[in-house]
């Protein structure tokens, strides 16, 4: 009788444990995300569970000024925890920034699969303050294509498309559409800028030391294809005159990539 009672107790405790795991509140995810990213990513007003819930996503990068990513919705498959990895389907809507895709995190490993981010170009200044010099306008779309990062290598690629690009320094609106391809190659990322269409042609190549100090070097050319006189004030700011209105583009800056503690 005592043995049977112990069996019933074990079964009861097992079901109770499963109940606790299934209904872990979303607050735990909000706490863990803030702690693991040192406050860079925060979820406010979380609802639901750690496996499926919603909350307001805020990014504090690169400064302490909050960048609102709107209402976030996540879904985590607990079976992936058996492999030592956390696989999350995430979506953020309800503002001028939209985020959607799959984030997979493991020890010394971050994997982004078909993750997309759309935001107004003027929001870039919040993440890269130097952009305020040209006051960018238009819409930016960032796409990650199976980007795999560890502490020592980066593989895969991403692209940034700037549609209806514009600047407060130029009356030509829009200037055009542009594409920046980012290709991981061990410790660095190769950059390639091309013009899809527009009166101002921008081309160039560069390298980004993603896993080192964040150093970014870029060289390119700006060529007016129309409305040259209206573009001249902007061209003078972009770079030195190479003749025929062409301007040399050069960028040497530091753009660090945030590294979670798991790195």
């Amino acid at each position: 009788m005592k043995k049977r009672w112990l069996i019933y107790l074990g079964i009861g405790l097992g079901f109770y444990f499963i109940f606790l795991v299934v209904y872990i509140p979303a607050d735990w995810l909000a706490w863990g995300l803030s702690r693991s990213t040192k406050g860079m990513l925060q979820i406010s007003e979380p609802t639901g569970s750690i496996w499926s819930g919603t909350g307001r996503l805020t990014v504090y990068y690169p400064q302490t000024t909050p960048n609102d990513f709107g209402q976030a919705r996540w879904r985590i498959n607990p079976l992936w925890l058996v492999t030592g990895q956390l696989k999350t389907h995430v979506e953020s809507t309800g503002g001028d920034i939209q985020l959607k895709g799959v984030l997979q995190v493991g020890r010394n490993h971050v994997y982004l699969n078909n993750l997309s981010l759309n935001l107004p170009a003027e929001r870039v200044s919040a993440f890269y303050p130097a952009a305020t010099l040209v006051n960018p306008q238009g819409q930016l779309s960032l796409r990650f294509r199976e980007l795999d990062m560890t502490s020592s290598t980066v593989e895969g690629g991403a692209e940034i498309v700037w549609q209806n690009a514009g600047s407060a320094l130029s009356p030509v609106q829009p200037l055009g559409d542009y594409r920046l391809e980012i290709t991981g190659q061990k410790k660095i990322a190769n950059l390639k800028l091309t013009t899809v269409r527009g009166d101002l042609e921008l081309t160039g190549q560069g390298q980004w030391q993603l896993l080192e100090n964040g150093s970014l070097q870029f060289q390119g050319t700006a060529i007016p294809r129309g409305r040259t006189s209206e573009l001249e004030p902007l061209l003078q700011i972009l770079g030195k005159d190479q003749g025929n209105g062409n301007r040399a583009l050069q960028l040497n800056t530091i753009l660090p990539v945030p590294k979670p503690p798991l790195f």
Side-chain angles (χ1 to χ4, degrees), residues 75-94:
R75 188 175 74 256
I76 299 175
N77 187 346
L79 295 179
W80 275 89
L81 297 178
V82 179
T83 66
Q85 300 186 65
L86 179 66
K87 186 175 182 179
T88 308
H89 295 261
V90 62
E91 181 178 0
S92 179
T93 58

Side-chain angles (χ1 to χ4, degrees), residues 11-227:
I11 293 175
L13 289 175
F15 278 111
Y16 180 68
F17 176 75
I18 293 174
F19 174 82
L20 290 179
V21 170
V22 170
Y23 291 99
I24 294 176
D27 303 70
W28 284 37
L29 178 66
W31 175 83
L33 184 65
S34 176
R35 186 175 184 273
S36 63
T37 62
K38 298 181 180 179
M40 187 188 72
L41 299 178
Q42 295 191 22
I43 296 178
S44 60
E45 302 177 2
T47 61
S49 72
I50 192 175
W51 312 114
S52 178
T54 63
R56 199 80 184 178
L57 178 61
T58 305
V59 178
Y60 292 84
Y61 175 82
Q63 301 172 343
T64 57
T65 303
N67 294 296
D68 185 14
F69 271 54
Q71 191 73 7
R73 185 181 301 108
W74 67 85
R75 188 175 74 256
I76 299 175
N77 187 346
L79 295 179
W80 275 89
L81 297 178
V82 179
T83 66
Q85 300 186 65
L86 179 66
K87 186 175 182 179
T88 308
H89 295 261
V90 62
E91 181 178 0
S92 179
T93 58
D96 57 1
I97 298 180
Q98 287 81 43
L99 173 67
K100 185 177 183 181
V102 177
L103 170 64
Q104 188 172 319
V105 180
R107 181 175 177 80
N108 198 36
H109 168 86
V110 172
Y111 178 71
L112 304 178
N113 182 19
N114 292 325
L115 188 70
S116 63
L117 174 64
N118 300 297
L119 71 161
E122 55 263 30
R123 292 292 296 266
V124 172
S125 300
F127 303 96
Y128 184 58
T132 56
L133 296 175
V134 295
N135 193 3
Q137 300 171 3
Q139 189 72 19
L140 286 175
S141 298
L142 174 60
R143 300 285 186 274
F144 292 98
R145 304 185 307 273
E146 298 185 352
L147 186 67
D148 194 349
M149 293 182 63
T150 69
S151 59
S152 58
T153 62
V154 54
E155 300 291 343
E159 72 171 17
I160 301 175
V161 177
W162 187 5
Q163 293 179 309
N164 296 319
S167 169
L169 302 178
S170 174
V172 180
Q173 302 288 344
L175 296 168
D177 294 344
Y178 307 98
R179 178 182 291 109
L180 178 65
E181 297 178 62
I182 306 172
T183 305
Q185 188 176 25
K186 295 183 179 179
K187 289 181 178 288
I188 66 172
N190 294 318
L191 309 176
K192 182 180 179 182
L193 176 64
T194 57
T195 299
V196 179
R197 67 174 181 89
D199 292 313
L200 180 61
E201 181 179 334
L202 301 176
T203 58
Q205 295 182 338
Q207 287 189 336
W208 187 9
Q209 305 290 334
L210 280 173
L211 301 180
E212 296 295 337
N213 59 359
S215 175
L216 189 154
Q217 294 87 33
F218 179 86
Q219 291 185 336
T221 306
I223 305 174
R225 296 302 186 188
R227 306 176 67 176

